[in-house]
Every structure is written in C-alpha cells, then in structure tokens.
Amino acid sequence: MKTVKEVSAFTGVSVRTLHHYDAIGLLKPSRVTEAGYRLYDDAALQRLQSILLFRTLRFSLKEIGQILDSPHFNPQEALEQQLTMLELQRQQLDETIAHVRKMKETGVITMNFDAFNTDKLDRYAEEAKAKWGKTEAYKEFEKKTDGQSKEQMAADGEGLMAIFAELGAIRHTDPASKEAQTLIAKLQAFITDHYYTCTQPILKGLGQLYIAGDSMTENIDRVGGEGTAEFAHKAIEIYTR
C-alpha cells in the first residue's frame, strides 16, 4: 500500500489531482485509514496508469471513467488500441514537426494545413470509445460501416463537418432560431443515416461531448470558427428539450 504522497512521488501525478480523481470517483483509494489517510494498492496504480494513458490520448475524465467502469472493458484489447492511437498521434506530430522545420529552413510560410489534420486519429478514438462501451449504437455503427471503403468513410466525415461549417456560419445568432434548429435536425438525420440511430438522448450526449474541450471541440471550431462547438451545444440543448 502507498500513501497519496508516495503515489504522487512515484507517478508524478500531483496530490491535488489524486484528490480530484477521488472526489469524482475516477480513482478511489483502496482503503482509507481511521485517521483519514488514503492508501493505494497495485490494482489502484494499474487503474491510474490506464487513466494516464487515456489522458495522453486526449480522452476526457468523464469518458475515461465510463470506459474503465464498463463491464465490457478489456484491458488487453484497450492496450492494443491505445498503442495504435499513440502511433497515429506520433505520425501526426512528426508530420507537423517536418512541416514547421521546412518553413524554418526555407523561410517560406506555406499555407498547407494537412500536417494539422487529426481526423484519422479522432475517428479511431470515437470508434474505440463506442466499442469499449459495447453500446447498441456501436453495434449499429459496425453494421453500417462494414465493408465501407476509406473514401466513403472520409466522405461521411466531410459531410458531417460540412454541417458544422453551416452552424459556424450562423454561430453569432440565436441558437433557438429556426435556421439553427433546422441544422440540428439535419445533423441528427445525418448521424442516423451514416452512423447509428441518433435518438434525442444520444444527440444531447453528443452536444455535451462537443464542448468537452478536447480534439472534437477543436475540429468543430476549426471548420466553423471559434465558438461553433459551443453554439452547436446550445442549439442541441434547445432542440432536445
């Protein structure tokens, strides 16, 4: 057993963060002494390692908790998928470094944003999140995308982003407006047609993910402009009432 201070020294995770993980139920101590000291065993440290891996992959704390607490969670399979995502992350970072180095060496600022495109990594992460949950939505997603070409999947992704671009164009207006609500209905229908049945609760949950502050938020704001994810979230909240 290790105390919270010992765990902090051993892992590099601050005591404050460990206390926060305890408070939100993400990483509870294995035992709390009568004096109130938190103690962590090897199982708790293994869970902390999984948490840190998911955080490196930009998963939110809420998503990590849902994954680790799922009865369908398979640690070995998760490690394989985490490795794939880390390799994709490294590839994207290497491309970005090469792009910046070229600009530095040539002195030419090229308008090429391919190196910053994280769509492949983001799609893989979303599929992994759904798969670990073994939700009905994921089962439907598997069925709909089975045998699809990379070109078709890319086209579907572009179609989805196009709707966010439309939302971005009106992001400074009222999210309750007819135009905004029509676009949310269009978004819901697109997800249903191309991925899985997007019920009202699922749509509401997606709206929460859009403002999680991770890569999904960044991608939406990239195509629609800063504030698009927040606008979409507000419009979805109104639409799903």
Side-chain angles (χ1 to χ4, degrees):
M1 290 280 195
K2 284 183 168 56
T3 65
V4 68
K5 287 186 177 180
E6 289 172 335
V7 171
S8 177
F10 180 64
T11 64
V13 178
S14 70
V15 170
R16 181 178 179 181
T17 296
L18 291 169
H19 285 177
H20 178 60
Y21 287 174
D22 181 12
I24 64 177
L26 181 61
L27 180 68
K28 305 295 289 185
S30 307
R31 187 164 68 86
V32 179
T33 68
E34 292 182 0
Y37 291 106
R38 297 171 173 85
L39 297 177
Y40 297 82
D41 60 13
D42 288 345
L45 291 177
Q46 288 177 2
R47 183 178 173 94
L48 177 57
Q49 183 170 256
S50 293
I51 292 168
L52 297 179
L53 272 171
F54 282 123
R55 288 299 284 163
T56 299
L57 292 165
R58 298 177 294 181
F59 282 54
S60 70
L61 295 180
K62 182 179 179 180
E63 290 168 341
I64 294 171
Q66 290 172 339
I67 290 169
L68 295 181
D69 294 334
S70 168
H72 305 290
F73 179 66
N74 183 321
Q76 190 59 41
E77 183 181 0
L79 276 174
E80 293 175 4
Q81 292 174 321
Q82 287 167 335
L83 179 59
T84 298
M85 284 186 282
L86 285 168
E87 288 172 342
L88 287 171
Q89 196 175 72
R90 181 178 63 182
Q91 178 185 340
Q92 194 266 333
L93 181 59
D94 286 344
E95 290 174 356
T96 304
I97 291 172
H99 177 64
V100 174
R101 180 176 287 121
K102 183 177 180 180
M103 287 193 295
K104 180 176 180 295
E105 291 174 350
T106 63
V108 178
I109 305 300
T110 57
M111 293 300 175
N112 181 351
F113 295 89
D114 291 343
F116 305 102
N117 191 325
T118 62
D119 287 349
K120 186 176 181 180
L121 174 59
D122 295 338
R123 284 199 302 272
Y124 193 94
E126 289 308 309
E127 291 170 20
K129 291 170 191 175
K131 184 173 184 178
W132 286 320
K134 292 293 182 184
T135 61
E136 290 302 316
Y138 180 73
K139 293 175 183 176
E140 187 177 354
F141 171 79
E142 275 189 319
K143 186 176 180 180
K144 282 192 175 183
T145 57
D146 183 38
Q148 267 193 3
S149 66
K150 292 181 180 179
E151 290 75 17
Q152 182 58 55
M153 293 185 72
D156 289 346
E158 290 173 3
L160 185 64
M161 287 296 107
I163 298 174
F164 285 117
E166 291 184 76
L167 284 164
I170 61 168
R171 68 187 184 280
H172 299 303
T173 65
D174 184 356
S177 70
K178 182 179 179 179
E179 187 176 7
Q181 293 299 294
T182 298
L183 283 174
I184 296 303
K186 181 179 179 180
L187 175 67
Q188 184 180 34
F190 187 92
I191 294 171
T192 295
D193 290 342
H194 295 83
Y195 298 104
Y196 46 78
T197 302
C198 188
T199 62
Q200 296 292 86
I202 287 178
L203 182 62
K204 186 178 178 69
L206 287 172
Q208 293 290 338
L209 288 177
Y210 294 159
I211 58 168
D214 53 17
S215 58
M216 186 177 290
T217 305
E218 294 170 3
N219 285 338
I220 292 172
D221 283 355
R222 187 176 72 236
V223 298
E226 186 176 356
T228 300
E230 178 65 31
F231 179 77
H233 163 68
K234 290 178 180 177
I236 287 172
E237 285 292 303
I238 296 167
Y239 183 85
T240 56
R241 282 174 188 167

